[in-house]
Amino acid sequence: MSITQAIIAHMTAMTIALLIDRIIGDPENWPHPVRWFGKWIYWIDSRLNKGAGRRFKGLLLVISMAVLAGVVPFLFLHALYGVHFIAGVLVEGVMIATTISTRSLSEAAYKVQKPLQLGDMEKARYEVSMIVGRDTDRLSEGEIARATVETVAENTSDGITAPLFYAFIGGGALAFFYRAINTCDSMVGYKNDRYFLFGYFSAKTDDVLNYIPSRLTAVVMTAVNVAKSQYSLGHVTSLIKRDAKKHPSPNSGYGESAVAALLGIQLGGLNTYKGIESNRAKMGEPLIPLQAGHIEQAVFIMKRTVYATWLLYLLLGGVISAITYTWS
């Protein structure tokens, strides 16, 4: 394929992916690549994460993911496009759809918000425990809302706009590879005794892959949501600049600080994990007390950001196609 054809294919596949995600999301009983990635990671972890050389063994996990989730899908799509362009676009669209989670993230957030608004704290605590790793059995309404908003904010990039970024520059295969590495990081990228060495390369590779998408997401998020915010563009950007780098992750703070600034709330603070306290840096200013309604507002911010990102890539794709067509 020419560069123009490749751009058209990727843009069309990305659009198909967003439509699929909007209509059906991620049905629980359907086969899903992330589950396959998880099984492979578990299999490698159980066999290699022991004895000497665990950091090198963790690098082998990343390399295996590059082959299984990057090279193999690329060769498959390349062959499929050689058979029929439309078949390639349709399959690539399905592949990209499995890497994004707009609908499932929204549904998970609303499952927390609904009982929280009805005052059913037990149900709300249960639902939030399904999407966060912290202890939830004693969380107040504000803390439940904070946990959910933080999840939506962080996963806007990790779970949606970052895969779209890699789909834009490299199609379904690169989006697949990104999702595989992100899954590696979520499973073994911990700084504890078991994974500090073995998960080192998974965590670092994920950090590198998310560097540009996280910052681009914060820019788009601010640009398309500030008109709906009570706060000025200057106020929002100043808080992002102040707070984003406070997060223990080099990338997650951008989405969280942007959402906090846009809503006038404060994220971060004290969490407990299996009874052990962890004090996270605070994002934003507590201008408005956290409450259930902020969950829905965070979801709206996420959706505007996702579709604005898609439109941005369509525009960039059109410009690049026009330039390459003119030069050819």
Side-chain angles (χ1 to χ4, degrees):
M1 287 191 293
S2 67
I3 294 176
T4 301
Q5 288 176 320
I7 292 172
I8 292 172
H10 296 336
M11 294 302 95
T12 306
M14 193 183 299
T15 303
I16 291 170
L18 285 168
L19 286 172
I20 292 172
D21 182 63
R22 182 179 178 85
I23 295 168
I24 64 173
D26 295 322
E28 288 186 11
N29 297 323
W30 287 24
H32 198 287
V34 171
R35 298 188 188 100
W36 305 339
F37 298 156
K39 290 179 180 179
W40 176 252
I41 295 164
Y42 177 79
W43 190 83
I44 293 291
D45 178 27
S46 64
R47 283 156 179 77
L48 297 186
N49 189 12
K50 60 184 73 172
R54 287 198 288 168
R55 179 173 291 187
F56 173 74
K57 292 173 182 176
L59 176 60
L60 294 179
L61 170 62
V62 173
I63 293 172
S64 72
M65 279 301 188
V67 174
L68 294 175
V71 176
V72 172
F74 172 80
L75 294 175
F76 171 70
L77 283 174
H78 181 73
L80 193 58
Y81 273 110
V83 174
H84 201 287
F85 183 82
I86 294 178
V89 169
L90 291 174
V91 171
E92 186 170 15
V94 173
M95 287 177 62
I96 297 171
T98 66
T99 70
I100 59 178
S101 55
T102 313
R103 177 165 177 155
S104 60
L105 183 57
S106 302
E107 289 175 346
Y110 287 138
K111 282 182 179 179
V112 178
Q113 183 191 27
K114 192 172 292 184
L116 193 59
Q117 288 179 321
L118 295 173
D120 188 346
M121 298 298 290
E122 184 176 348
K123 178 67 171 175
R125 287 172 181 142
Y126 170 77
E127 293 296 347
V128 79
S129 73
M130 296 292 100
I131 59 173
V132 300
R134 71 194 68 173
D135 299 338
T136 62
D137 55 317
R138 296 182 182 179
L139 294 185
S140 64
E141 176 185 348
E143 289 300 298
I144 293 171
R146 174 169 73 86
T148 310
V149 170
E150 287 171 352
T151 299
V152 173
E154 180 177 352
N155 284 286
T156 297
S157 180
D158 285 5
I160 313 166
T161 57
L164 290 179
F165 173 81
Y166 286 104
F168 172 69
I169 64 175
L174 199 55
F176 241 48
F177 172 65
Y178 166 80
R179 202 76 179 106
I181 294 300
N182 192 244
T183 306
C184 284
D185 180 57
S186 67
M187 290 183 66
V188 304
Y190 299 102
K191 293 181 179 180
N192 56 27
D193 291 342
R194 177 170 177 79
Y195 292 117
F196 184 75
L197 293 175
F198 185 75
Y200 176 83
F201 284 105
S202 291
K204 292 301 180 183
T205 306
D206 184 71
D207 287 345
V208 171
L209 290 177
N210 278 297
Y211 186 88
I212 294 175
S214 64
R215 288 152 178 80
L216 180 60
T217 297
V219 171
V220 175
M221 183 179 283
T222 302
V224 300
N225 287 287
V226 73
K228 298 284 186 180
S229 174
Q230 299 179 39
Y231 310 101
S232 68
L233 177 62
H235 173 81
V236 172
T237 55
S238 67
L239 290 184
I240 295 172
K241 289 178 181 178
R242 186 193 73 183
D243 296 337
K245 294 181 181 179
K246 295 178 182 178
H247 199 283
S249 162
N251 302 309
S252 297
Y254 286 87
E256 288 191 26
S257 61
V259 169
L262 287 163
L263 295 180
I265 59 176
Q266 189 169 76
L267 301 177
L270 183 65
N271 301 326
T272 60
Y273 298 88
K274 296 182 179 180
I276 300 173
E277 292 186 350
S278 173
N279 210 341
R280 288 287 181 90
K282 294 179 179 178
M283 308 276 165
E285 298 287 349
L287 304 175
I288 302 174
L290 273 156
Q291 53 193 338
H294 285 119
I295 296 173
E296 184 174 38
Q297 292 179 45
V299 170
F300 287 160
I301 288 174
M302 178 263 290
K303 288 182 176 179
R304 292 188 202 107
T305 304
V306 169
Y307 295 121
T309 299
W310 167 66
L311 289 173
L312 173 63
Y313 291 148
L314 287 184
L315 177 62
L316 289 175
V319 170
I320 296 170
S321 295
I323 292 173
T324 54
Y325 179 78
T326 301
W327 285 354
S328 62

